[in-house]
Amino acid sequence: MTNTILTNINVLDCSGAEPFAAEVEIQGNRIHKISPTPLAREGQTIIDGQGCILMPGLVEAHAHASFTDINVFEDIGDTPPEEHTLLTAHFARVLFDAGFTSLFGAASAKPRVEIAVRNFINDGMMVGPRMLCASPELTVTGNLGDVAMRHMYRETFGLVCDGADEFRKAARECVRDGVDTLKINPSGDNAMPWAKAQHTVMTEEEVAAVAQVAHGFGLRFASHARSAESVKMSLRHGAKIIYHATLIDEEAMDMLEAQKDEIFVGPTLGVTYAAVYEAGEHGISHEDAIAAGFKYELETGAENMAELHKRGVRVLPGGDYGLIWNPNGKDARDIEHFVNLVGMSPMDAILSATKLGGEIMGMGDELGQVKEGFLADLLLVKGDPSKDVTILQNKDNLRMIMKDGIIYKHPDTSGSQQTQAA
């Protein structure tokens, strides 16, 4: 068993407390001791933290490792599955090197590509984050995820179903593939020409069919739900992860608050912000973004997230990264969006990406805090992110990345290093 002591550090334990000076002992893959006084050195590997902040690894609550910084949705369908699996492994590592030691998948671009990467990581055959994998997006004809044309076969990240029986079968097949979460698209999206964000395009029966499969197999299901009605429909059928929720009304707000101890909301503000302000060189002008409704949705969604946060609903960062104009690896910027757009304090924004991240991973009793007995998924950070969250966007500020007690980036080196075979 590897025993390591981190010294000359300040601990941001993500309980909500301010950083404090301490030494931390790691035994195996767990945090063994946190002490304000020096720990016994005999038989220990000592790491000088150089005055850095020790904090939990970040959790990406809306991960798309298999969305390979695409330019258009059809790029996913045009990528052969063999290359796509390798690209998914690459982008999982990109996220890991950006400090995200855990990924909660929000949809796989193809069946099984993320599952294969998850399994290889879990089996120690490649380096990467903890991963919970979602199905591709179960959607309806004409909605987000459907790029087919009558005269041309095309596909992307959606499994297109119409009617409860088709949704039920597709969901069962995804369970057979080994998913951790089922993903549905009951609402539209402003990126689509037909089904817009305010539209609710799945039926009650279709949502109920997926819910039945999820509940029957003991899985959670996540919902792409931008419209108020799609949020309400998802909650009525037991969805535990509501993505977007940007256009909710008062009734949906009340329903979310009533289930605040059971559900998570991920607004994905990053992708909408990028569409409005940064996608011009990739074909989405500022004027086009406004006309499509992205600016309105960004502002309305930010206001709604501020109210949900005030009501105690668990709102988590994760900005639909994986597009050429919103690339994987920039995910920590969503923490800054929570401060600048939602009005969270820097500390609350950090907690949303750590403590609450552990909870959405289903590991809230062992992940997402620096706490004795918790898993040693840890970062050493130059500077204090609880005062300035932008620090986390610069990989050079991540002096150490540790997962399961293994150091993959060492504070004494400028690059990544693996301390045991994987």
Side-chain angles (χ1 to χ4, degrees), residues 51-359:
C52 290
I53 290 280
L54 182 74
M55 65 175 290
L58 301 173
V59 180
E60 167 57 89
H62 190 107
H64 285 307
S66 58
F67 285 34
T68 55
D69 292 355
I70 58 173
N71 190 37
V72 293
F73 292 157
E74 291 82 358
D75 289 346
I76 285 175
D78 292 342
T79 305
E82 299 84 358
E83 284 84 351
H84 207 145
T85 305
L86 294 173
L87 285 166
T88 300
H90 165 74
F91 284 107
R93 183 60 190 262
V94 166
L95 287 161
F96 186 66
D97 289 342
F100 288 87
T101 54
S102 295
L103 308 182
F104 188 92
S108 180
K110 284 186 176 72
R112 294 208 73 256
V113 292
E114 293 190 9
I115 291 168
V117 171
R118 177 201 66 192
N119 292 349
F120 267 60
I121 292 171
N122 289 348
D123 289 343
M125 290 187 283
M126 65 174 63
V127 174
R130 301 177 189 278
M131 293 177 65
L132 292 181
C133 297
S135 67
E137 303 189 18
L138 306 182
T139 193
V140 297
T141 298
N143 191 28
L144 178 68
D146 177 21
V147 295
M149 303 176 73
R150 286 193 180 275
H151 67 289
M152 183 186 305
Y153 177 78
R154 301 187 304 180
E155 62 180 35
T156 183
F157 49 77
L159 295 180
V160 180
C161 310
D162 292 296
D165 287 343
E166 289 188 11
F167 273 97
R168 190 177 292 109
K169 180 175 176 57
R172 286 172 175 162
E173 289 174 343
C174 290
V175 172
R176 183 182 63 194
D177 288 337
V179 301
D180 300 297
T181 313
L182 293 168
K183 172 73 177 294
I184 62 172
N185 287 359
S187 83
D189 192 284
N190 285 331
M192 295 299 294
W194 311 286
K196 294 297 186 179
Q198 69 270 24
H199 297 147
T200 302
V201 293
M202 281 180 67
T203 67
E204 199 86 37
E205 293 75 21
E206 289 168 335
V207 174
V210 178
Q212 181 186 42
V213 175
H215 299 155
F217 283 92
L219 300 179
R220 293 179 289 179
F221 75 97
S223 182
H224 167 102
R226 294 186 180 274
S227 69
E229 186 50 45
S230 65
V231 171
K232 293 179 235 182
M233 184 187 300
S234 301
L235 292 174
R236 284 195 295 270
H237 292 285
K240 300 304 181 187
I241 299 97
I242 305 294
Y243 286 129
H244 314 302
T246 39
L247 302 178
I248 52 177
D249 58 18
E250 192 66 25
E251 182 183 11
M253 187 92 66
D254 291 342
M255 290 177 68
L256 288 165
E257 182 181 7
Q259 298 187 39
K260 65 183 180 182
D261 295 331
E262 301 174 11
I263 57 98
F264 301 88
V265 175
T268 71
L269 299 178
V271 68
T272 315
Y273 182 93
V276 175
Y277 296 109
E278 299 171 345
E281 64 181 293
H282 300 288
I284 304 175
S285 70
H286 184 63
E287 293 73 22
D288 288 343
I290 293 173
F294 287 121
K295 190 170 187 290
Y296 172 80
E297 188 179 3
L298 176 64
E299 293 170 351
T300 303
E303 291 176 2
N304 286 330
M305 293 311 115
E307 179 61 24
L308 288 176
H309 177 61
K310 180 180 176 182
R311 295 189 187 197
V313 177
R314 292 176 291 187
V315 181
L316 282 69
D320 248 336
Y321 292 89
L323 305 171
I324 191 65
W325 39 272
N326 194 45
N328 276 307
K330 295 182 69 175
D331 305 55
R333 192 170 65 162
D334 255 45
I335 304 172
E336 181 187 5
H337 288 327
F338 274 20
V339 175
N340 293 340
L341 301 178
V342 179
M344 286 189 187
S345 69
M347 180 68 83
D348 281 352
I350 293 294
L351 295 181
S352 71
T354 54
K355 183 177 184 293
L356 298 187
E359 293 173 9

